[in-house]
Amino acid sequence: MVTKQTKLEALRKTPSIYPTKTKLQITIIFFIVLGFYLFSMVWTQREMVGGFGDALANMYTVIEKFFPPNLEVIPKVWGAMAQTIQMAVIATTLAAILTVPLALLSAQNITTFKPLYLITRTLLNILRTIPDLVLAVIFVGLFGVGLLPGILALFIFSLGILAKLISETIEAVDMNPLEAMRASGGNIFQVIYFGLIPQVLPQFTSFVLYVFEINIRASVVLGLVGAGGIGLVLDQQLGFYNYPNAMAIIILIFIVVIVIEFISNKLREALI
């Protein structure tokens, strides 16, 4: 008969999942991260003028300026909202098309020529390094205020994200069907079309929809630097201190983003 003492002795003899050294390292790292957060909180409090106390006290004053929202302005800004959606659609579509060759070239299991693989990877890393807001400022300086700078900024921003995600998806596919096609005499285009695309297509569609959602939000921010769309109108209203109008525009943006995200999720569920 197994007694309680026998069970306790068995538990003591059971080896730990993590060695003592690993536990010590995790504990030290945890306290270092915790100390960093505490230091950051204290430092932020010192750098803030008036501290968190005054910020909370001013919150009511700021919110009071934005309410009640002037909903009558919404019909007048539908055109700008449509431009924002168009920017996101055009940029995402162009990025999705150009992503295909770049993702193939940056996938190590498809591109066996090492220099070409490294050059493509480096290019994509550079594209992801530059923030979309900086790109928008540069293109606004080159082409002036309007939709074109926003489309170009979103295009480059989307291209960096999509090519990275799709290339990693390609590298994770089952290579057995591809090797079988190569062994049976299939050329590179046949291998990609019949062996690779069926495995990658659902994830590709999901990533494109995800980037489109991001671009809707990003296009609003880009408008604040002159890249057109609803963000430009919002910046103008804030500059004129028309806070009720600005709040109505914010509500419109929120509703549009929620609707687009809902439709995108339904499409993603149907495809995956």
Side-chain angles (χ1 to χ4, degrees), residues 16 50 57 61 63 73 78 93 96-98 129 136 176 198 200 206 218 222 227 235:
S16 175
T61 304
I63 293 176
V73 77
W78 269 118
T93 303
I97 294 171
L98 192 56
T129 301
N176 291 329
V200 177
S206 176
L222 298 185
D235 183 52

Side-chain angles (χ1 to χ4, degrees), residues 14-271:
T14 303
S16 175
I17 299 176
Y18 300 105
T20 305
K21 184 179 179 181
T22 304
K23 289 181 178 179
L24 180 61
Q25 291 174 344
I26 293 174
T27 304
I28 293 173
I29 293 172
F30 171 76
F31 281 108
I32 290 175
V33 173
L34 181 62
F36 175 77
Y37 276 113
L38 293 174
F39 172 77
S40 301
M41 290 173 62
V42 173
W43 186 265
T44 303
Q45 173 73 9
R46 287 175 54 188
E47 292 296 311
M48 289 180 64
V49 178
F52 285 105
D54 286 353
L56 294 174
N58 293 332
M59 186 180 298
Y60 176 77
T61 304
V62 173
I63 293 176
E64 189 179 23
K65 294 179 180 178
F66 284 88
F67 287 92
N70 181 21
L71 300 179
E72 295 179 358
V73 77
I74 290 181
K76 301 177 183 178
V77 298
W78 269 118
M81 189 71 242
Q83 289 179 349
T84 297
I85 297 173
Q86 289 169 5
M87 287 169 55
V89 170
I90 294 172
T92 306
T93 303
L94 294 176
I97 294 171
L98 192 56
T99 288
V100 175
L102 287 177
L104 292 171
L105 291 174
S106 59
Q108 198 166 9
N109 56 345
I110 300 298
T111 304
T112 55
F113 186 56
K114 203 73 174 177
L116 183 59
Y117 165 78
L118 293 175
I119 291 172
T120 311
R121 278 282 184 175
T122 303
L123 174 63
L124 294 179
N125 290 334
I126 293 172
L127 291 181
R128 288 194 306 275
T129 301
I130 307 174
D132 53 342
L133 199 60
V134 174
L135 290 170
V137 172
I138 294 173
F139 288 130
V140 166
L142 292 175
F143 302 105
V145 176
L147 297 181
L148 181 60
I151 292 172
L152 293 175
L154 289 176
F155 164 68
I156 295 176
F157 171 73
S158 304
L159 189 61
I161 296 177
L162 274 177
K164 171 70 172 178
L165 294 174
I166 301 302
S167 64
E168 291 180 351
T169 303
I170 292 174
E171 289 179 343
V173 301
D174 183 9
M175 291 297 295
N176 291 329
L178 280 69
E179 294 297 337
M181 290 182 185
R182 286 171 181 166
S184 60
N187 58 41
I188 184 64
F189 298 104
Q190 291 172 330
V191 169
I192 291 173
Y193 186 80
F194 293 104
L196 182 63
I197 290 179
Q199 297 187 64
V200 177
L201 187 58
Q203 290 296 327
F204 175 81
T205 308
S206 176
F207 287 143
V208 169
L209 292 173
Y210 170 68
V211 170
F212 174 66
E213 294 174 18
I214 295 176
N215 284 341
I216 290 291
R217 300 178 180 90
S219 59
V220 175
V221 179
L222 298 185
L224 299 177
V225 296
I230 195 70
L232 182 60
V233 179
L234 178 61
D235 183 52
Q236 291 172 349
Q237 296 302 315
L238 290 173
F240 295 146
Y241 302 104
N242 291 330
Y243 296 117
N245 290 356
M247 191 65 215
I249 294 172
I250 292 171
I251 292 173
L252 174 63
I253 294 170
F254 175 77
I255 293 173
V256 170
V257 168
I258 292 296
V259 171
I260 290 175
E261 186 171 356
F262 175 79
I263 296 172
S264 177
N265 288 336
K266 290 299 180 181
L267 290 173
R268 195 179 293 115
E269 290 173 4
L271 292 169

